[in-house]
Amino acid sequence: MHPALLLLSLTLLLPLAAASPPHHPSHFSKHRRNTTATPQEYIEVTRPLPFDSLNPSCTLHILSHTFADTVNLPPITANYSPPSNCTWSRAVLHLSGTSNGSQYDRIAAVWLAGVELLRTSTPGPTDDGIFWNVRKDITKYSSILRQSNMSLAVMLENVVNDVYIGVYRLDFTFLYYDVVSNGTAIRKLKNNPVRSPNLKYSLELSENPADLIIPISASGDEGFWFRIESETDAVVKGIQIPLNTYRAVIEVYVSFHGNDEFWYSNPPDAYIEMNKMPTKRGHGSYREVVVKLDDITVGSVIPFPVIFTGGINPVFWEPVVSIGAFDLPSYEIELTPFLGMLLDGKAHYLRLGVADAISFWLVDANLQLWLDDKADKVQAQAVQYSSPTCSLERESKFEMLNGNFEIEGKRKSEFTGWVNSSAGNFTTYVSHELKFENTIEFSNNGTEKELNQKVKVTDKVKVTSNTGESILSNELERKYPLKITTSTLPGSEKDTYLMITKLENSIEEETSNLNFTSSLENSQKSEGWMVVKDHDVLSGAATSVQSYGVEDSFGCYNRRVSSANGYITNDKGDLLCARASS
Ligand SMILES: *[C@@H]1O[C@H](CO)[C@@H](O)[C@H](O)[C@H]1NC(C)=O
Ligand SMILES: *[C@@H]1O[C@H](CO)[C@@H](O)[C@H](O)[C@H]1NC(C)=O
Ligand SMILES: *[C@@H]1O[C@H](CO)[C@@H](O)[C@H](O)[C@H]1NC(C)=O
Ligand SMILES: *[C@@H]1O[C@H](CO)[C@@H](O)[C@H](O)[C@H]1NC(C)=O
Ligand SMILES: *[C@@H]1O[C@H](CO)[C@@H](O)[C@H](O)[C@H]1NC(C)=O
Ligand SMILES: *[C@@H]1O[C@H](CO)[C@@H](O)[C@H](O)[C@H]1NC(C)=O
Ligand SMILES: *[C@@H]1O[C@H](CO)[C@@H](O)[C@H](O)[C@H]1NC(C)=O
Ligand SMILES: *[C@@H]1O[C@H](CO)[C@@H](O)[C@H](O)[C@H]1NC(C)=O
Ligand SMILES: *[C@@H]1O[C@H](CO)[C@@H](O)[C@H](O)[C@H]1NC(C)=O
């Protein structure tokens, strides 16, 4: 590559060098350890998959690749066909990775025929070497997984040079499980007392994977994600769906990078300009991914703040990575009430954009459709939609480097529409409510920063039959508060800084439907210090505690993991919670 080109791509991928005290959270790499210790496993704490203990009916090793200097290269691809003569109802994607030597964490994604299966990030390696495993239930993509001769694509942009030598070796395997005939948790789900003649329809709605998935993704030369650099950048994709679609859901994948990697802690531009700071991490701390159908806002997402392993203080994420780092959450938006519009035989457009974005975001989506196998055509009509804009209030007070910034936002949308398919005439009501609060306070001449963010989402989906019978009533409440405090002091050596940080990040989720409720509580608390020069961590120490608890139709799982200075100090998990579900 031409040297000038190399320089350009480096500045795109690597954080900008700090020319002054790091007032803002940043992205670091560490040159830690120089021992002959054996490679260590990095983990994201989640519940094992309900069918992990079963033997898969088939496995398919699809791809191994070492991602060295991959800037500007197209994704790595492999030809995919499902194993022949294999009976399966559940599928898992297993990623295993290894790396060693200094390197930044990197974002990566996996697509099958342009449909995103996994958005993930790598842990930052140590000299001793690290390895990790990610297992994701990808059953909801079954309709694509059952097709032959599809292209599987993996993107991971890595930069290797004299300083950053770490390469990433990734290995991908599909596992297929015949869960129903093995009879486990899924049967338990299906055996819920039948109380409605429409239960089959309701189970289908809540459990069956889509029949068709239309990717809302890029052409693929630079990965299938769209790169959004500003609030005016938008992805527009024309769609045409089969006339017998009776349900539609759009699933949005999103990650944030560069100057927006820590969007939730970016101060307003005025503060940065007034203080003549070199940082470009500004534009305030409100971002919202907005999905539009033609000109109607059909849904929006304030993403969960996934912190990559080089973020805030990398020692926090050794060897337990932050929530979502290995399996970034995706967000589903029910579009069924809009089928009346989509089925009118005219051209329609889906549009993805990020309000207030600065460079850069990687966004794409999967449009999941359920088709009526007994009819060529269904009738549908949108009955009501109200989708007010996000009401935002911003307050900004600052004097020199000290200041106080507050943003409060709120959005509530409601949609109703009916679909008359061979199963009957059902009306779907959807409501989506978003509440958002963000405060950033700089004190002590800007050397102390406190960030507080609260996001609350309430989603409701209700399906009723023509006779008024409730077929489905799903409610999801999700909260994700984040709190970070940082003090920055001059280090003992020239151009070094001591940063002392405390962080609390968590996700709480409650879902309920007609017959059961589930809950998830996942929280991480970390504190520690580090000495940095530019973006390198010279030394540091930290402790982290994560507690994870889930209770749902598959049962119950609790785990509490503590770590200190790169090693797990305590790890307790159990499958028998006090409030065991029957
Ligand atoms: C590892 O440490 C030894 C002594 O502590 C030093 O001589 C050597 O240069 C170090 N190696 C690297 C790669 O830093
Ligand atoms: C599950 O079913 C598969 C295929 O039918 C079989 O090979 C496997 O041994 C079963 N596993 C268990 C634990 O029963
Ligand atoms: C498929 O599996 C069945 C049962 O295991 C076996 O009898 C049959 O020969 C297999 N067919 C092929 C084409 O492998
Ligand atoms: C580090 O990676 C290099 C090159 O991939 C390999 O030769 C070496 O064995 C690795 N070292 C460790 C400790 O994994
Ligand atoms: C897949 O593609 C190959 C080569 O183009 C072809 O020979 C094969 O029949 C195809 N298989 C299926 C199931 O379409
Ligand atoms: C739609 O409803 C009418 C009358 O309610 C019914 O006769 C027709 O079969 C339904 N259409 C479909 C596709 O099921
Ligand atoms: C379906 O139900 C809605 C609401 O009850 C009604 O307005 C509509 O006319 C029905 N559609 C058909 C085709 O029966
Ligand atoms: C506040 O910070 C600025 C920039 O770091 C520095 O120039 C100034 O001297 C500091 N003021 C005080 C009162 O410490
Ligand atoms: C499902 O609902 C029925 C009727 O309300 C109730 O009797 C039953 O206990 C419920 N099942 C579960 C697992 O909650």
Side-chain angles (χ1 to χ4, degrees):
M1 206 191 306
H2 190 274
L5 276 181
L6 179 69
L7 198 69
L8 183 72
S9 28
L10 278 179
T11 54
L12 285 177
L13 277 168
L14 300 176
L16 297 167
S20 71
H23 288 283
H24 305 296
S26 201
H27 199 124
F28 300 97
S29 124
K30 45 203 168 150
H31 300 263
R32 287 184 2 99
R33 295 202 204 119
N34 172 13
T35 64
T36 50
T38 51
Q40 198 184 355
E41 179 167 17
Y42 277 44
I43 57 165
E44 180 179 343
V45 175
T46 57
R47 172 246 287 272
L49 298 177
F51 38 90
D52 267 358
S53 57
L54 306 177
N55 293 323
S57 334
C58 328
T59 59
L60 173 67
H61 179 254
I62 182 101
L63 182 69
S64 292
H65 187 77
T66 301
F67 293 84
D69 203 18
T70 51
V71 187
N72 292 335
L73 294 184
I76 301 303
T77 58
N79 188 50
Y80 170 90
S81 291
S84 53
N85 211 15
C86 178
T87 307
W88 60 273
S89 56
R90 292 260 155 180
V92 168
L93 176 61
H94 187 135
L95 151 64
S96 61
T98 59
S99 184
N100 70 45
S102 294
Q103 190 51 270
Y104 284 95
D105 62 75
R106 300 294 180 193
I107 189 75
V110 182
W111 296 269
L112 187 58
V115 169
E116 185 157 352
L117 307 182
L118 172 73
R119 181 78 56 102
T120 185
S121 70
T122 68
T126 61
D127 292 343
D128 298 333
I130 59 162
F131 66 98
W132 74 101
N133 287 285
V134 184
R135 281 170 75 84
K136 179 175 178 181
D137 182 350
I138 52 165
T139 307
K140 66 174 158 186
Y141 309 117
S142 293
S143 66
I144 292 275
L145 292 165
R146 290 188 193 278
Q147 290 176 43
S148 294
N149 279 351
M150 311 300 278
S151 174
L152 182 98
V154 180
M155 193 76 184
L156 188 161
E157 280 200 314
N158 193 24
V159 178
V160 174
N161 55 31
D162 292 348
V163 182
Y164 300 104
I165 57 168
V167 300
Y168 287 104
R169 169 116 191 133
L170 302 189
D171 204 85
F172 295 91
T173 306
F174 288 102
L175 299 110
Y176 304 86
Y177 294 87
D178 189 8
V179 174
V180 178
S181 65
N182 281 72
T184 52
I186 304 293
R187 191 194 287 154
K188 189 171 159 187
L189 192 72
K190 288 208 155 132
N191 274 355
N192 270 329
V194 176
R195 53 187 282 252
S196 147
N198 285 312
L199 184 75
K200 188 178 161 289
Y201 181 70
S202 124
L203 268 179
E204 256 169 32
L205 280 183
S206 50
E207 207 202 323
N208 267 14
D211 299 306
L212 176 68
I213 306 174
I214 299 178
I216 311 296
S217 59
S219 62
D221 315 341
E222 294 170 0
F224 290 84
W225 43 36
F226 294 104
R227 195 179 162 108
I228 291 184
E229 313 245 353
S230 76
E231 55 206 312
T232 54
D233 266 6
V235 172
V236 181
K237 187 113 178 172
I239 49 162
Q240 207 166 4
I241 67 167
L243 295 177
N244 59 344
T245 304
Y246 69 87
R247 186 186 177 206
V249 168
I250 187 166
E251 178 188 29
V252 178
Y253 275 93
V254 53
S255 54
F256 21 93
H257 309 275
N259 293 324
D260 250 355
E261 179 175 344
F262 307 99
W263 56 269
Y264 41 83
S265 80
N266 285 11
D269 294 336
Y271 173 81
I272 292 172
E273 279 155 25
M274 193 69 85
N275 289 298
K276 299 191 170 54
M277 302 171 97
T279 185
K280 298 221 165 47
R281 296 178 190 274
H283 218 50
S285 55
Y286 152 76
R287 303 289 181 274
E288 190 179 4
V289 182
V290 177
V291 182
K292 287 188 174 179
L293 172 62
D294 301 331
D295 287 325
I296 304 167
T297 299
V298 292
S300 74
V301 173
I302 290 187
F304 174 79
V306 175
I307 299 164
F308 302 127
T309 55
I312 316 284
N313 179 343
V315 191
F316 289 175
W317 319 122
E318 298 177 332
V320 178
V321 303
S322 71
I323 299 171
F326 285 169
D327 181 7
L328 275 80
S330 62
Y331 304 87
E332 294 196 336
I333 297 164
E334 182 77 44
L335 295 185
T336 306
F338 295 98
L339 281 178
M341 292 170 60
L342 286 167
L343 295 173
D344 66 359
K346 298 190 186 122
H348 293 280
Y349 295 90
L350 273 172
R351 183 180 180 279
L352 303 170
V354 185
D356 279 16
I358 56 173
S359 188
F360 65 95
W361 291 61
L362 296 173
V363 182
D364 60 32
N366 300 328
L367 180 60
Q368 308 179 53
L369 304 173
W370 284 257
L371 310 179
D372 189 340
D373 57 3
K374 294 187 189 72
D376 301 333
K377 243 177 123 165
V378 304
Q379 297 140 290
Q381 195 176 312
V383 174
Q384 167 236 355
Y385 51 85
S386 76
S387 178
T389 49
C390 190
S391 68
L392 277 182
E393 271 175 52
R394 303 181 196 242
E395 247 185 84
S396 210
K397 274 183 286 187
F398 65 94
E399 207 186 330
M400 308 294 280
L401 286 164
N402 291 336
N404 216 309
F405 310 102
E406 256 183 78
I407 304 181
E408 260 185 68
K410 210 172 166 182
R411 187 197 282 278
K412 183 165 184 189
S413 332
E414 287 178 289
F415 311 112
T416 312
W418 57 259
V419 180
N420 180 42
S421 72
S422 65
N425 182 5
F426 298 105
T427 299
T428 302
Y429 162 85
V430 172
S431 84
H432 175 71
E433 196 176 351
L434 192 61
K435 279 187 187 160
F436 164 82
E437 228 183 277
N438 180 294
T439 337
I440 300 170
E441 195 181 329
F442 289 100
S443 55
N444 207 358
N445 198 27
T447 61
E448 281 173 30
K449 179 172 180 178
E450 181 169 337
L451 157 80
N452 263 296
Q453 176 167 276
K454 284 182 191 154
V455 180
K456 183 177 166 188
V457 178
T458 314
D459 280 339
K460 288 180 192 161
V461 178
K462 289 187 174 148
V463 179
T464 46
S465 75
N466 234 3
T467 58
E469 187 192 1
S470 190
I471 307 297
L472 190 83
S473 177
N474 287 353
E475 195 170 325
L476 162 78
E477 190 183 281
R478 186 183 279 149
K479 290 186 200 162
Y480 32 101
L482 170 69
K483 186 173 173 169
I484 306 175
T485 57
T486 305
S487 309
T488 306
L489 306 162
S492 51
E493 275 162 55
K494 189 173 176 291
D495 296 332
T496 64
Y497 296 93
L498 167 67
M499 297 178 82
I500 302 164
T501 308
K502 251 189 186 178
L503 177 145
E504 288 180 36
N505 196 10
S506 64
I507 183 158
E508 278 169 47
E509 212 173 87
E510 248 180 59
T511 51
S512 60
N513 66 22
L514 282 177
N515 228 332
F516 42 77
T517 61
S518 345
S519 65
L520 166 75
E521 269 191 58
N522 190 2
S523 72
Q524 284 182 317
K525 286 186 189 171
S526 303
E527 55 181 289
W529 60 270
M530 61 179 176
V531 174
V532 299
K533 185 172 183 177
D534 284 342
H535 289 275
D536 291 334
V537 178
L538 304 180
S539 57
T543 55
S544 293
V545 182
Q546 179 164 9
S547 40
Y548 184 98
V550 65
E551 199 178 333
D552 61 16
S553 57
F554 292 117
C556 165
Y557 178 75
N558 275 333
R559 187 168 171 187
R560 195 179 161 86
V561 184
S562 310
S563 53
N565 307 324
Y567 295 93
I568 288 177
T569 50
N570 198 6
D571 187 350
K572 280 200 185 109
D574 71 83
L575 290 157
L576 298 166
C577 309
R579 208 157 51 89
S581 65
S582 51

